[in-house]
Amino acid sequence: MKLLEDRIKKDGRVLSEHVLKVDSFLNHQMDPVLMQEIGKEFARLFEKDGITKIVTIESSGIAPAIMAGLYLNAPVVFARKRKSLTLTEDLLTASVYSFTKNEMTEISISQKYLSKKDRVLIIDDFLANGQAALGLLQLVQQGGADIAGIGIVIEKSFQQGAEKLQQLGIRVESLARIMSLSDGNVIFINEKVEETVK
Ligand code: 5GP
């Protein structure tokens, strides 16, 4: 997605060979117009898949997920990372190792928001080693729902997440795919392909 790639080039900050900071438009301050375009793109990619529910994880998955839900006309449920006092219903839970926080977190969704009749699209902001996506997948499976695929805003393709998910037969659609963050530069996969073709 060109708009997103241009924005990453312009405003993303490479913190290390493995971490990209996008706090000015996705992870802290959020750009609603960009989020809207992201939602439209996910909707275009999954419009024929009969999505009845979108599942994401708090907090940075919520903005792209809600926009996708708007255009796919499906409700959005986010997994919580901390137990809420008001969340007293039967819970679906999974343990997730957090890439950025370097710790295990228990994530949960109330059972009543996922059913066997659901066809789910999982959405998240980043895909690194796939722990968050695999945790969300476990919740969807515990709820007995069907999985249509995973939509990712920024995939770091040099890490293992996409491959792991694809090996499980899961469709992964990433709007920006980063091949490398070496030397403080963001290089997208399609940039490399274009260079080879020239
Ligand atoms: P994974 O579970 O795939 O290893 O990592 C994905 C999760 O870690 C995402 O939900 C995201 O919040 C966070 N994450 C992973 N890599 C990055 C990164 O380079 N930058 C930011 N801002 N978050 C990341």
Side-chain angles (χ1 to χ4, degrees):
M1 184 180 171
K2 173 100 173 52
L3 187 71
L4 175 64
E5 289 182 350
D6 289 348
R7 190 61 179 271
I8 293 170
K9 286 266 190 196
K10 183 168 159 275
D11 292 332
R13 279 186 48 216
V14 177
L15 289 193
S16 72
E17 290 212 335
H18 293 103
V19 181
L20 176 70
K21 189 166 173 165
V22 288
D23 272 16
S24 67
F25 61 91
L26 178 59
N27 287 146
H28 194 16
Q29 174 171 268
M30 289 177 278
D31 178 340
V33 176
L34 179 64
M35 291 306 125
Q36 190 177 31
E37 293 307 315
I38 284 171
K40 279 185 199 164
E41 185 61 8
F42 281 135
R44 188 185 68 75
L45 290 164
F46 288 95
E47 68 189 347
K48 296 193 176 75
D49 292 277
I51 306 297
T52 65
K53 191 144 299 187
I54 294 181
V55 168
T56 187
I57 183 165
E58 65 175 349
S59 50
S60 295
I62 296 177
I66 197 91
M67 288 300 176
L70 183 66
Y71 289 103
L72 285 166
N73 196 22
V76 178
V77 53
F78 66 89
R80 292 186 192 263
K81 289 181 181 162
R82 270 179 213 91
K83 290 219 168 75
S84 158
L85 290 176
T86 57
L87 203 66
T88 51
E89 309 86 3
D90 289 336
L91 295 178
L92 308 169
T93 59
S95 289
V96 167
Y97 179 78
S98 163
F99 179 82
T100 42
K101 299 201 178 82
N102 208 5
E103 63 184 23
M104 290 299 290
T105 319
E106 180 114 320
I107 63 167
S108 54
I109 282 180
S110 170
Q111 208 162 28
K112 75 175 177 196
Y113 296 123
L114 272 180
S115 86
K116 290 186 175 57
K117 291 184 193 144
D118 279 319
R119 189 154 165 78
V120 174
L121 168 61
I122 290 176
I123 288 201
D124 203 7
D125 60 340
F126 271 89
L127 179 60
N129 293 314
Q131 298 303 306
L134 287 166
L136 290 173
L137 198 60
Q138 276 182 42
L139 299 185
V140 172
Q141 284 164 346
Q142 282 171 31
D146 195 18
I147 177 89
I150 300 190
I152 296 291
V153 181
I154 304 175
E155 172 189 310
K156 290 180 295 175
S157 311
F158 56 88
Q159 291 173 306
Q160 305 309 311
E163 206 179 307
K164 273 187 217 161
L165 294 163
Q166 280 153 0
Q167 276 169 3
L168 292 174
I170 310 273
R171 176 178 166 203
V172 180
E173 296 284 358
S174 304
L175 305 189
R177 299 177 70 213
I178 295 176
M179 176 182 228
S180 155
L181 292 174
S182 297
D183 305 320
N185 293 318
V186 180
I187 308 285
F188 296 106
I189 281 196
N190 48 358
E191 282 182 76
K192 273 286 171 210
V193 173
E194 278 163 21
E195 274 167 30
T196 326
V197 170
K198 270 178 206 165

